[in-house]
Amino acid sequence: MRKIKLLLGRILYLFATHLPSSFFWVNIGQKQIRAFCGKLILTQCGKCVNIEKGAVFSSSVELGDYSGIGIRAQIGGKTIIGKHVMMGPDVSIFVRNHVFSRIDI
């Protein structure tokens, strides 16, 4: 069932990513459509999320309540974005080969 949801979400998101940004002067439900796609694609997707136009993300991303992924942002691998996080445009997060055992440096 998860694979079917993921496939459906990716297909819908191919269309939704080309819709205007969420705060464009013409509102055709683009924010709600991309949030719906996020709920199908992401491992966990909170309430009232905002996924902006052109964002690229892996299905292993977790997005908390009231958080947003910015315009043309790129998020790869398993990434946890907490609650009330606002991401700006063109943010890139890559987690491959990232060692974080030492958090003091």
Side-chain angles (χ1 to χ4, degrees):
M1 185 64 173
R2 169 79 178 132
K3 288 184 180 183
I4 294 171
K5 278 178 52 177
L6 180 60
L7 180 63
L8 178 63
R10 287 284 182 204
I11 291 170
L12 290 173
Y13 189 69
L14 284 174
F15 164 74
T17 192
H18 297 290
L19 293 173
S21 64
S22 296
F23 300 104
F24 192 65
W25 63 276
V26 175
N27 183 359
I28 56 173
Q30 59 268 32
K31 183 175 178 179
Q32 293 80 8
I33 293 168
R34 284 193 290 263
F36 176 73
C37 292
K39 291 188 185 305
L40 294 174
I41 297 170
L42 299 174
T43 302
Q44 180 179 338
C45 187
K47 60 184 176 184
C48 296
V49 299
N50 184 26
I51 300 172
E52 282 292 350
K53 175 182 179 160
V56 178
F57 47 88
S58 77
S59 60
S60 57
V61 171
E62 296 181 18
L63 186 60
D65 297 339
Y66 307 102
S67 293
I69 299 175
I71 296 173
R72 295 179 308 277
Q74 297 179 28
I75 306 171
K78 181 169 175 40
T79 306
I80 300 171
I81 301 168
K83 296 179 180 178
H84 303 282
V85 175
M86 183 173 65
M87 193 176 301
D90 300 310
V91 171
S92 296
I93 300 173
F94 300 104
V95 296
R96 184 178 298 158
N97 298 328
H98 179 72
V99 179
F100 50 87
S101 57
R102 291 209 44 209
I103 59 173
D104 61 322
I105 56 172

Short mmCIF file of all heavy atoms in Angstrom, two decimals, residues 22-49:
data_model
loop_
_atom_site.label_atom_id
_atom_site.label_comp_id
_atom_site.label_asym_id
_atom_site.label_seq_id
_atom_site.Cartn_x
_atom_site.Cartn_y
_atom_site.Cartn_z
N SER A 22 3.04 29.39 -3.28
CA SER A 22 1.89 29.41 -2.37
C SER A 22 1.31 30.81 -2.13
O SER A 22 0.14 30.95 -1.86
CB SER A 22 2.27 28.79 -1.03
OG SER A 22 2.60 27.45 -1.21
N PHE A 23 2.15 31.82 -2.22
CA PHE A 23 1.69 33.17 -1.92
C PHE A 23 1.57 34.02 -3.17
O PHE A 23 1.62 35.24 -3.11
CB PHE A 23 2.62 33.80 -0.88
CG PHE A 23 2.63 33.00 0.39
CD1 PHE A 23 3.70 32.19 0.70
CD2 PHE A 23 1.56 33.04 1.26
CE1 PHE A 23 3.70 31.42 1.86
CE2 PHE A 23 1.55 32.28 2.41
CZ PHE A 23 2.63 31.48 2.72
N PHE A 24 1.40 33.37 -4.31
CA PHE A 24 1.17 34.06 -5.57
C PHE A 24 -0.19 34.74 -5.50
O PHE A 24 -1.09 34.29 -4.79
CB PHE A 24 1.23 33.05 -6.71
CG PHE A 24 1.28 33.65 -8.08
CD1 PHE A 24 2.37 34.41 -8.48
CD2 PHE A 24 0.25 33.45 -8.98
CE1 PHE A 24 2.43 34.95 -9.76
CE2 PHE A 24 0.29 33.99 -10.26
CZ PHE A 24 1.39 34.76 -10.64
N TRP A 25 -0.39 35.81 -6.23
CA TRP A 25 -1.66 36.56 -6.14
C TRP A 25 -2.85 35.78 -6.66
O TRP A 25 -3.99 36.10 -6.31
CB TRP A 25 -1.53 37.91 -6.83
CG TRP A 25 -1.25 37.84 -8.31
CD1 TRP A 25 -0.02 37.69 -8.90
CD2 TRP A 25 -2.19 37.89 -9.36
NE1 TRP A 25 -0.15 37.65 -10.25
CE2 TRP A 25 -1.49 37.77 -10.58
CE3 TRP A 25 -3.57 38.03 -9.41
CZ2 TRP A 25 -2.11 37.78 -11.81
CZ3 TRP A 25 -4.19 38.04 -10.65
CH2 TRP A 25 -3.46 37.92 -11.84
N VAL A 26 -2.64 34.76 -7.47
CA VAL A 26 -3.73 33.90 -7.92
C VAL A 26 -3.69 32.61 -7.10
O VAL A 26 -2.68 31.91 -7.09
CB VAL A 26 -3.61 33.56 -9.42
CG1 VAL A 26 -4.68 32.57 -9.84
CG2 VAL A 26 -3.69 34.82 -10.26
N ASN A 27 -4.78 32.32 -6.39
CA ASN A 27 -4.83 31.13 -5.56
C ASN A 27 -5.76 30.10 -6.20
O ASN A 27 -6.96 30.31 -6.28
CB ASN A 27 -5.32 31.49 -4.15
CG ASN A 27 -5.31 30.30 -3.22
OD1 ASN A 27 -4.97 29.18 -3.60
ND2 ASN A 27 -5.69 30.53 -1.99
N ILE A 28 -5.17 29.00 -6.65
CA ILE A 28 -5.95 27.91 -7.23
C ILE A 28 -5.84 26.65 -6.38
O ILE A 28 -6.06 25.55 -6.87
CB ILE A 28 -5.53 27.64 -8.69
CG1 ILE A 28 -4.03 27.35 -8.76
CG2 ILE A 28 -5.92 28.78 -9.59
CD1 ILE A 28 -3.56 26.92 -10.13
N GLY A 29 -5.45 26.83 -5.12
CA GLY A 29 -5.31 25.70 -4.22
C GLY A 29 -3.96 25.03 -4.29
O GLY A 29 -3.80 23.89 -3.86
N GLN A 30 -2.96 25.74 -4.82
CA GLN A 30 -1.64 25.15 -5.00
C GLN A 30 -1.00 24.70 -3.69
O GLN A 30 -0.36 23.64 -3.64
CB GLN A 30 -0.71 26.08 -5.78
CG GLN A 30 -0.47 27.45 -5.17
CD GLN A 30 -1.43 28.51 -5.66
OE1 GLN A 30 -2.58 28.23 -5.97
NE2 GLN A 30 -0.97 29.75 -5.73
N LYS A 31 -1.19 25.44 -2.62
CA LYS A 31 -0.61 25.07 -1.33
C LYS A 31 -1.24 23.78 -0.83
O LYS A 31 -0.54 22.87 -0.36
CB LYS A 31 -0.83 26.20 -0.32
CG LYS A 31 -0.21 25.94 1.02
CD LYS A 31 -0.37 27.14 1.94
CE LYS A 31 0.22 26.87 3.29
NZ LYS A 31 0.11 28.03 4.18
N GLN A 32 -2.53 23.64 -0.93
CA GLN A 32 -3.23 22.44 -0.47
C GLN A 32 -2.89 21.22 -1.33
O GLN A 32 -2.75 20.11 -0.82
CB GLN A 32 -4.75 22.67 -0.47
CG GLN A 32 -5.22 23.68 0.55
CD GLN A 32 -5.04 25.13 0.11
OE1 GLN A 32 -4.69 25.42 -1.03
NE2 GLN A 32 -5.25 26.05 1.03
N ILE A 33 -2.74 21.43 -2.63
CA ILE A 33 -2.41 20.32 -3.53
C ILE A 33 -1.03 19.77 -3.21
O ILE A 33 -0.83 18.55 -3.09
CB ILE A 33 -2.49 20.76 -5.01
CG1 ILE A 33 -3.94 21.07 -5.39
CG2 ILE A 33 -1.91 19.70 -5.94
CD1 ILE A 33 -4.10 21.78 -6.72
N ARG A 34 -0.05 20.67 -3.02
CA ARG A 34 1.31 20.19 -2.70
C ARG A 34 1.37 19.58 -1.31
O ARG A 34 2.11 18.62 -1.08
CB ARG A 34 2.31 21.34 -2.87
CG ARG A 34 2.61 21.63 -4.32
CD ARG A 34 3.82 22.53 -4.49
NE ARG A 34 3.55 23.89 -4.05
CZ ARG A 34 3.21 24.89 -4.86
NH1 ARG A 34 3.09 24.69 -6.15
NH2 ARG A 34 3.00 26.09 -4.37
N ALA A 35 0.59 20.08 -0.36
CA ALA A 35 0.54 19.47 0.98
C ALA A 35 -0.04 18.07 0.90
O ALA A 35 0.43 17.14 1.57
CB ALA A 35 -0.27 20.34 1.93
N PHE A 36 -1.07 17.87 0.07
CA PHE A 36 -1.65 16.55 -0.13
C PHE A 36 -0.62 15.59 -0.71
O PHE A 36 -0.49 14.44 -0.27
CB PHE A 36 -2.88 16.64 -1.04
CG PHE A 36 -3.49 15.32 -1.37
CD1 PHE A 36 -4.22 14.62 -0.41
CD2 PHE A 36 -3.33 14.76 -2.62
CE1 PHE A 36 -4.78 13.38 -0.70
CE2 PHE A 36 -3.88 13.52 -2.92
CZ PHE A 36 -4.61 12.84 -1.96
N CYS A 37 0.13 16.06 -1.69
CA CYS A 37 1.19 15.23 -2.28
C CYS A 37 2.24 14.87 -1.22
O CYS A 37 2.73 13.75 -1.19
CB CYS A 37 1.85 15.96 -3.45
SG CYS A 37 0.79 16.19 -4.87
N GLY A 38 2.57 15.84 -0.37
CA GLY A 38 3.53 15.59 0.70
C GLY A 38 3.06 14.50 1.64
O GLY A 38 3.83 13.65 2.08
N LYS A 39 1.77 14.49 1.95
CA LYS A 39 1.23 13.45 2.84
C LYS A 39 1.32 12.07 2.19
O LYS A 39 1.46 11.07 2.88
CB LYS A 39 -0.22 13.78 3.21
CG LYS A 39 -0.30 14.99 4.12
CD LYS A 39 -1.68 15.21 4.65
CE LYS A 39 -1.80 16.48 5.44
NZ LYS A 39 -0.88 16.65 6.53
N LEU A 40 1.25 12.02 0.86
CA LEU A 40 1.39 10.74 0.17
C LEU A 40 2.85 10.30 0.04
O LEU A 40 3.15 9.12 0.10
CB LEU A 40 0.76 10.82 -1.23
CG LEU A 40 -0.75 11.02 -1.31
CD1 LEU A 40 -1.17 11.22 -2.76
CD2 LEU A 40 -1.49 9.85 -0.69
N ILE A 41 3.74 11.26 -0.14
CA ILE A 41 5.14 10.95 -0.43
C ILE A 41 5.98 10.79 0.83
O ILE A 41 6.74 9.82 0.96
CB ILE A 41 5.76 12.04 -1.33
CG1 ILE A 41 5.05 12.09 -2.68
CG2 ILE A 41 7.25 11.80 -1.52
CD1 ILE A 41 5.42 13.29 -3.53
N LEU A 42 5.90 11.73 1.74
CA LEU A 42 6.81 11.78 2.89
C LEU A 42 6.53 10.68 3.91
O LEU A 42 5.40 10.23 4.06
CB LEU A 42 6.70 13.14 3.58
CG LEU A 42 7.07 14.35 2.71
CD1 LEU A 42 6.78 15.63 3.47
CD2 LEU A 42 8.52 14.29 2.30
N THR A 43 7.58 10.27 4.61
CA THR A 43 7.45 9.28 5.68
C THR A 43 6.48 9.77 6.74
O THR A 43 5.62 9.03 7.20
CB THR A 43 8.82 9.00 6.33
OG1 THR A 43 9.73 8.56 5.32
CG2 THR A 43 8.72 7.97 7.42
N GLN A 44 6.64 11.04 7.12
CA GLN A 44 5.72 11.66 8.07
C GLN A 44 5.52 13.09 7.61
O GLN A 44 6.47 13.79 7.28
CB GLN A 44 6.30 11.64 9.48
CG GLN A 44 5.39 12.26 10.51
CD GLN A 44 6.00 12.20 11.89
OE1 GLN A 44 6.86 11.39 12.18
NE2 GLN A 44 5.54 13.08 12.76
N CYS A 45 4.27 13.52 7.61
CA CYS A 45 3.95 14.88 7.18
C CYS A 45 2.93 15.45 8.16
O CYS A 45 1.83 14.92 8.31
CB CYS A 45 3.39 14.86 5.76
SG CYS A 45 3.14 16.49 5.05
N GLY A 46 3.30 16.54 8.82
CA GLY A 46 2.45 17.14 9.83
C GLY A 46 1.29 17.92 9.24
O GLY A 46 1.06 17.93 8.03
N LYS A 47 0.58 18.63 10.10
CA LYS A 47 -0.57 19.41 9.65
C LYS A 47 -0.11 20.82 9.29
O LYS A 47 0.90 21.32 9.80
CB LYS A 47 -1.66 19.44 10.71
CG LYS A 47 -1.25 20.03 12.03
CD LYS A 47 -2.36 19.92 13.05
CE LYS A 47 -1.85 20.44 14.39
NZ LYS A 47 -2.82 20.28 15.45
N CYS A 48 -0.84 21.43 8.39
CA CYS A 48 -0.59 22.80 7.93
C CYS A 48 0.83 23.00 7.40
O CYS A 48 1.51 23.96 7.74
CB CYS A 48 -0.88 23.82 9.03
SG CYS A 48 -2.61 23.85 9.51
N VAL A 49 1.30 22.07 6.58
CA VAL A 49 2.63 22.18 6.00
C VAL A 49 2.56 22.97 4.70
O VAL A 49 1.50 23.10 4.08
CB VAL A 49 3.27 20.80 5.75
CG1 VAL A 49 3.42 20.03 7.05
CG2 VAL A 49 2.49 20.00 4.73
#
